[in-house]
Structures are given as C-alpha cells and as structure tokens.
Amino acid sequence: MDIFTLVKANIRRKKGAFAGIMLFMLIISLSVTSIVSLKRNFENSITSEYDHMNSANISLNIRRDLLTDDILDEVNSHPFVKDTMVMDTLVPASYTLPNGNEGSFSLFISEFTASVDRLWKADLSGFEDNVPSPEKGEIYLPQAMSANENIAVGDTITAVFGQQEFGFKVKGFIEEPVCGSAFIPIKAAYVCKEDMDSLTDFIEQGALAYPAMKYHLYSFVYIFKADDSDLTDNRFASAINKDTPMGSYASGIMTRTDSIHYQDLLPDIILNIFLSFVIILTV
C-alpha cells in the first residue's frame, strides 16, 4: 500500500512529465500499429492483383526455336502441373526513348488480348472503366516505365529489330503485376494483332537470310500448379527444373512468390526505415 501511495504522490508532483511520457508512448504505439498495418495492406493489395490476373505460379521466357512440343508435353504431363499457357512475344535488340536515350529494360512485345484489363487513368489516380485495343502503330506499356523512363501518353518509342526501326505511339500505361516492378528488368508491352503479325513476318523473313534474326522471337510460358499440390512456388519451380528441360532452355524464370516480393520490395524498405526510426526513439 505504501508503494502505491508513493507512486500516486510522485505522479501528482510530476503531472506534466507523466502526461508527456504517456502521450509519447501513445504516439509510438499508434505509429508502430500504422506501419505494420500499411505493410500488410501493401502485401494484400499486391496479392489481390495477382489473383485478379490469375497469374501463374511460374513465368518464364524462352526462345521460340528452343520451345518444342516435346518439352511442353513433358511439362504438361508432370504430376505437379495443372496447366500451361504459351504466349508469343517479340524482343527488340533495343528501344529508344522520346529523349533519344536507349531504354534500360528488356522489352517483350506481345499481341494485346482481353486479359489486359487494367489501364491507368492519365493522372494515375485509378483505372479506366475499359481498355480499348491499341490501333496500328500504338503500344501499351507497364506503368513502371512511365516513372522510371520519363515516358508520357502520346510519346513515341522506337524498337529495333535487325537493322530496322519501328516507331510506336504510347497509348497508355497498364497494370502488369508479374513484371511490373521497377526491380524486374523485363517489361511486357502490347500492340495490336496487325502490328504483331507484321513484325513477326518481318523477323521470320529476315531470319531466312540472317539466322540471328530468329533471336527476336520468344515465348512467354506460364505454368500453373496442380490444385492438390502443397509445394511452395519455389519448390514447385525446382521440381519442374529438375524433372523437365524447360528451365535449362529458358532465358529467364520467375515464380509468383518472387514477383510479389519484388513488387513489395520498395514500399517494404521505406516502411521498415520508418519502423526502425520509431523503435530508435523508444530507446
């Protein structure tokens, strides 16, 4: 009882200091709670975007001349695999930005499909209600290229195939979660069917005289894990690489888990810095 009496007396005598300490602790508690909540919200929103896109557990790119029916059959017959999806894509030797500089990403140009359904508004405040198909000479780019390479809607980028340059006007910026992070060097872009067919024909005709032209022809391969598999994405990828030759021929391979990690990396770093600062204040 004497101890409680002394504590009460001490609080009355130093009421201002006690109130300050309590306020400080309240601010620290709220700050930590807010930061942890933001970290979870970022991760949940990214995961939700992947679920919306029905993204594969493994995404890889492979030269088209190396992707045989036998390799695809071997992957599809694997007991851990539910399904695969292949999308043709074209990889320019380089591309030039509106300011004349060479782009810093590896650009993979594919035919626009209805699966591309998230188009950013001009002010990046949200998404448009629909995504119109690009016209001939137009291209959709992922939003990360807008910020990192200072590209705006209406600008023109120039892709080089062989010794030929092809200009494309930027129609808009799309949400592309799999390769959307600035930390991922591959960027997926989309053009109309007419442009895709025309470029493919140009490359295939050029490859008859210059075989190296075929190196512009690639495919994205998306591999989906079986519903009853309890493997993590990385263990699933290890199993596919071990049991099939797909990974040996691929130029790049990434799991859904790795992609989400890279998407979440920058906000996670920033929030961890704030969290560390708050913790230091309490010491």
Side-chain angles (χ1 to χ4, degrees), residues 54 57 75-76 78-84 223-228 236:
N54 191 27
N57 300 94
V75 173
N76 277 312
H78 195 283
F80 296 154
V81 173
K82 176 182 179 180
D83 195 13
T84 61
I223 307 175
F224 298 85
K225 186 169 57 179
D227 294 334
D228 59 355
F236 175 52

Side-chain angles (χ1 to χ4, degrees), residues 10-21:
N10 198 38
I11 291 174
R12 289 195 192 98
R13 200 175 301 119
K14 299 180 180 180
K15 193 177 295 183
F18 178 76
I21 292 171

Side-chain angles (χ1 to χ4, degrees), residues 71-96:
I71 291 177
L72 275 175
D73 289 342
E74 199 168 340
V75 173
N76 277 312
S77 62
H78 195 283
F80 296 154
V81 173
K82 176 182 179 180
D83 195 13
T84 61
M85 184 176 71
V86 179
M87 182 172 69
D88 289 339
T89 187
L90 306 174
V91 183
S94 63
Y95 64 96
T96 305

Side-chain angles (χ1 to χ4, degrees), residues 9-213:
N10 198 38
I11 291 174
R12 289 195 192 98
R13 200 175 301 119
K14 299 180 180 180
K15 193 177 295 183
F18 178 76
I21 292 171
M22 293 302 295
L23 179 61
F24 176 72
M25 294 305 296
L26 178 62
I27 292 172
I28 293 297
S29 299
L30 290 174
S31 298
V32 171
T33 302
S34 298
I35 291 172
V36 171
S37 177
L38 280 172
K39 285 167 66 70
R40 288 175 179 169
N41 287 341
F42 270 120
E43 184 176 348
N44 290 339
S45 65
I46 292 170
T47 302
S48 174
E49 186 63 31
Y50 276 73
D51 291 339
H52 169 79
M53 296 290 291
N54 191 27
S55 62
N57 300 94
I58 301 174
S59 301
L60 58 87
N61 57 80
I62 182 172
R63 263 179 31 208
R64 217 176 294 177
D65 60 318
L66 300 178
L67 182 62
T68 64
D69 290 338
D70 288 341
I71 291 177
L72 275 175
D73 289 342
E74 199 168 340
V75 173
N76 277 312
S77 62
H78 195 283
F80 296 154
V81 173
K82 176 182 179 180
D83 195 13
T84 61
M85 184 176 71
V86 179
M87 182 172 69
D88 289 339
T89 187
L90 306 174
V91 183
S94 63
Y95 64 96
T96 305
L97 302 173
N99 60 13
N101 294 333
E102 187 172 312
S104 58
F105 294 109
S106 294
L107 198 62
F108 284 66
I109 300 175
S110 304
E111 180 185 337
F112 174 85
T113 65
S115 64
V116 182
D117 62 354
R118 295 283 181 92
L119 174 64
W120 285 98
K121 293 181 178 179
D123 60 0
L124 302 180
S125 62
F127 298 114
E128 298 285 0
D129 293 333
N130 57 75
V131 187
S133 175
E135 301 292 333
K136 182 174 173 56
E138 294 182 331
I139 191 169
Y140 279 125
L141 299 176
Q143 191 273 329
M145 292 184 68
S146 169
N148 286 272
E149 301 202 306
N150 196 27
I151 305 174
V153 174
D155 285 346
T156 297
I157 66 167
T158 304
V160 179
F161 293 94
Q163 302 297 316
Q164 187 73 31
E165 295 184 346
F166 297 85
F168 293 96
K169 183 179 179 181
V170 178
K171 185 176 181 67
F173 296 99
I174 57 167
E175 180 76 358
E176 209 289 305
V178 177
C179 301
S181 169
F183 294 99
I184 299 175
I186 292 174
K187 290 290 168 280
Y190 297 92
V191 297
C192 67
K193 184 179 187 308
E194 184 179 356
D195 280 336
M196 188 68 180
D197 290 345
S198 152
L199 284 172
T200 301
D201 184 62
F202 169 79
I203 294 167
E204 290 176 342
Q205 291 300 315
L208 297 176
Y210 304 98
M213 284 283 285

